[in-house]
Amino acid sequence: MSDIPFSLDQLRILKAIADEGSFKRAADSLFVSQPAISLQIQNLEKQLAVPLFDRGGRKAQLTEAGNLLLAYGEKIITLCQETCRAIEDLQNLQGGTLIVGASQTTGTYLLPRMIGLFHQKYPYVSVQLQVHSTRRTSWAVANGQVDLAIIGGEVPSELQDVLEIIPYAQDELALIIPPNHPFAEQETIAKDDLYSLNYITLDSQSTIRKVLDQVLSRCEINTGELKVEMELNSIEAIKNAVQSGLGASFVSVTAIEKELKMGIIHRAHIEGVEIQRTLSVIVNSNRYRSKAAEAFIKEILPQFSSENYMLSLEQLSKKDKTFLDKSVEIVNDE
């Protein structure tokens, strides 16, 4: 094939159909008519001389060739978006987009503060926050769909050689109980007291739940003997359930600052036990990193980090010069 047999628009249409599961919903998401979508796919199949969809079922199902084209098409679209953002950066942070990823707790309670500070300093940069699991977030950074992310779980093993993983801060996990619980009158409780509580937790597959179980086990607490009465899908739902007297839970300290000040939940301290997990910043040094991303890394992240964060950046830059040497000088008129 001497000429490229597909256009960027056709790749975008293919991706929309795959994402939406139907030609009609894809047409709606792209604000075009369904016949126009169908015609583009028909032309694409003629140009490639292969069928891209199995038209025997009710749902738009990709053929093997369709899946192959989609995989490469997503990479092409991401690279095109990266190119546009690089050109936008020529405006010296007077425009452009910064995409930040996070796992649930950091994305809900920590990142909004950071983004608020960033917006005050660079009001013309559009910031997008994507909150997903640690695994999904890590892959988004690896694929160039997210500029940087703060995560609390472990990066998938297959990506640990691809991503730069920078220890960022310690996130303390606290045991919370209803304010009228008998334990709320005690300064500390014993480890054995934990087995008498009824717990409200996140789903067993969640990152925080897995990390918590690991940390508790290191503290010689048998998680298998803790009585889990209820599993919920969000930290906010857990806090409301604890406040209502339905049980106890372990949550990040950053998630309960407001409730502790209001006195609507109580933090119980466990004698001799400190539960912490390490938050990490992840980036992909093999991808173009915008000036907006560099500004966020160097100017905003240090304000919420542990003392070791800047040292980690310095050590990383010595170990792998590509991390900081690829940055573009930040122009600050203030």
Side-chain angles (χ1 to χ4, degrees), residues 13 37 62 92 186 197 199 208 224 231 235 253-254 274 279:
I13 289 170
I37 289 279
L62 287 167
N92 294 324
Q186 301 177 201
L197 294 169
Y199 290 92
I208 299 177
E231 289 188 351
I235 300 295
V253 170
T254 59
E274 194 172 272
L279 301 180

Side-chain angles (χ1 to χ4, degrees), residues 28-211:
D28 292 341
S29 70
L30 295 174
F31 302 101
V32 296
S33 67
Q34 184 175 341
I37 289 279
S38 299
L39 181 60
Q40 285 278 24
I41 293 299
Q42 290 172 12
N43 290 337
L44 181 57
E45 289 176 323
K46 289 178 182 177
Q47 290 157 204
L48 293 171
V50 292
L52 299 174
F53 288 93
D54 181 359
R55 292 171 170 78
R58 296 179 61 185
K59 185 178 178 181
Q61 190 73 35
L62 287 167
T63 62
E64 185 177 0
N67 278 309
L68 182 64
L69 181 60
L70 176 64
Y72 280 99
E74 287 178 331
K75 294 179 182 179
I76 293 169
I77 292 170
T78 297
L79 189 57
C80 289
Q81 292 169 339
E82 204 170 283
T83 302
C84 292
R85 287 164 55 198
I87 294 172
E88 287 176 343
D89 270 343
L90 296 176
Q91 301 175 40
N92 294 324
L93 288 174
Q94 294 302 304
T97 302
L98 171 67
I99 306 176
V100 183
S103 45
Q104 187 181 92
T105 302
T106 54
T108 304
Y109 303 102
L110 181 59
L111 262 302
R113 303 181 197 175
M114 296 182 174
I115 293 171
L117 287 176
F118 183 83
H119 185 68
Q120 289 176 19
K121 196 164 190 178
Y122 302 108
Y124 301 108
V125 177
S126 172
V127 182
Q128 298 177 17
L129 174 60
Q130 298 186 6
V131 180
H132 298 294
S133 67
T134 292
R135 181 176 184 82
R136 184 171 171 182
T137 298
S138 298
W139 274 105
V141 174
N143 292 332
Q145 297 163 331
V146 168
D147 293 306
L148 64 114
I150 302 179
I151 58 170
E154 187 174 349
V155 172
S157 57
E158 62 268 29
L159 295 180
Q160 291 186 5
D161 291 334
V162 176
L163 300 176
E164 302 290 0
I165 307 168
I166 310 160
Y168 179 62
Q170 292 298 312
D171 180 31
E172 187 177 5
L173 299 170
L175 173 65
I176 58 172
I177 57 178
N180 59 353
H181 193 282
F183 285 167
E185 300 177 1
Q186 301 177 201
E187 187 174 338
T188 62
I189 64 173
K191 281 186 185 179
D192 289 343
D193 291 331
L194 296 175
Y195 301 109
S196 66
L197 294 169
N198 296 323
Y199 290 92
I200 305 163
T201 70
L202 291 171
D203 180 85
S204 59
Q205 298 304 310
S206 72
T207 299
I208 299 177
R209 175 78 177 273
K210 291 177 181 178
V211 171

